[in-house]
Amino acid sequence: MKDIKELLEVFEIKPNNISLYEEAFTHPSFNADAKTKHCDYERLEFLGDSVLDFFVAELAFKAHPELNQGNLTKLRASLVSRNGLSNYARKYEFHEYIRVGNSFNLELIKADAILENVFESFIGAIYLDQGLRAVKEIIIKVFYRDIQKYDEEDTIDYKSRLQEAIQSEHRESVTYEVIKETGPSHDKHFVIKVVFDGITLGIGEGSSKKRAEQMAAKEALSKKADK
């Protein structure tokens, strides 16, 4: 497990109360070994969830005057969903800083629910330790680029649509394979192909595996529609 101070340096945070950040990265299972109670991320998660919703909504509102209420809600939901927040947590390697108890036996990098919770608790800790302006600056740093480039099409689940289309004709499922992975851990770029029965149906690119898979599925559906 890495020292939480390393992560704070990435975000250029000089902590006033380091224990808040330690708590934000402590899984409830740690309490059993430490013989403590509520010394984990759950209360901070509650606070951080509200802070995130507010500021992401504000940023979306200002960045996209062309979107109506429903589309603004979709935009916010796509970013602060479990998938969205767990991917942001992986981008900054949050799994490397989480304290767990001896009974914990999951692989943290794949534990979406835990990564989502820790991301929210981290935001809660920043708010309490640094104040409203500082936490807003962090949220802008993490989310603003994705808010700006948001396209309503991003909310379409092309992978599910492709799977349904394939399974309406065959029993087998498609698979996704990474062709290329480049960039540092905080700024990855993936090229992924979707394959069925040894045949490449489509290729997609994106800043996350999920995004690249969706783009590969979209291309496959487009080719299928042209036939």
Side-chain angles (χ1 to χ4, degrees):
M1 188 183 75
K2 292 183 178 179
D3 190 328
I4 192 64
K5 292 178 182 177
E6 295 180 27
L7 182 63
L8 298 183
E9 288 176 2
V10 171
F11 287 93
E12 299 180 340
I13 295 172
K14 295 182 179 179
N16 296 306
N17 183 359
I18 192 68
S19 65
L20 279 171
Y21 300 99
E22 293 171 343
E23 187 174 313
F25 281 80
T26 299
H27 186 265
S29 65
F30 189 82
N31 285 310
D33 298 333
K35 294 181 172 57
T36 53
K37 187 177 182 180
H38 298 315
C39 295
D40 54 59
Y41 59 60
E42 289 183 335
R43 282 171 50 82
L44 286 170
E45 172 200 345
F46 164 79
L47 179 62
D49 176 59
S50 297
V51 174
L52 265 176
D53 273 355
F54 175 76
F55 280 121
V56 170
E58 180 190 7
L59 292 172
F61 182 87
K62 291 180 177 178
H64 291 282
E66 78 283 3
L67 295 182
N68 62 25
Q69 178 189 6
N71 287 331
L72 286 170
T73 299
K74 287 181 182 179
L75 192 168
R76 181 180 63 183
S78 70
L79 295 177
V80 299
S81 65
R82 175 165 294 177
N83 280 336
L85 294 184
S86 63
N87 282 331
Y88 284 121
R90 274 185 281 270
K91 177 179 179 179
Y92 292 99
E93 298 183 340
F94 278 20
H95 54 281
E96 299 281 1
Y97 302 90
I98 300 173
R99 297 192 297 182
V100 298
N102 291 325
S103 61
F104 188 88
N105 58 7
L106 298 177
E107 192 174 354
L108 283 169
I109 195 171
K110 297 179 180 179
D112 285 4
I114 294 172
L115 292 174
E116 174 198 13
N117 294 342
V118 170
F119 192 98
E120 291 172 340
S121 63
F122 181 52
I123 294 298
I126 297 170
Y127 169 71
L128 292 177
D129 185 59
Q130 302 284 305
L132 207 58
R133 180 176 297 180
V135 77
K136 182 176 181 178
E137 289 177 356
I138 295 294
I139 291 171
I140 290 173
K141 177 179 179 179
V142 174
F143 290 91
Y144 194 62
R145 186 174 71 169
D146 289 334
I147 289 173
Q148 279 189 310
K149 69 179 184 180
Y150 170 80
D151 188 321
E152 187 180 359
E153 189 181 65
D154 291 342
T155 63
I156 300 172
D157 189 351
Y158 290 107
K159 287 180 65 177
S160 293
R161 290 189 179 185
L162 177 62
Q163 191 64 32
E164 289 170 3
I166 292 294
Q167 291 193 328
S168 67
E169 302 172 4
H170 309 275
R171 281 189 163 186
E172 297 82 1
S173 299
V174 298
T175 59
Y176 294 85
E177 300 175 11
V178 176
I179 298 173
K180 191 176 182 181
E181 178 180 340
T182 58
S185 59
H186 65 278
D187 192 21
K188 288 284 189 182
H189 184 80
F190 297 90
V191 180
I192 288 178
K193 64 180 178 180
V194 57
V195 179
F196 178 75
D197 197 23
I199 300 172
T200 297
L201 303 180
I203 295 175
E205 300 185 35
S207 57
S208 68
K209 287 184 179 179
K210 178 185 175 184
R211 173 68 175 170
E213 287 172 353
Q214 287 287 350
M215 292 302 97
K218 180 183 178 182
E219 182 177 88
L221 284 166
S222 177
K223 290 179 179 179
K224 189 174 178 64
D226 289 342
K227 289 183 179 180

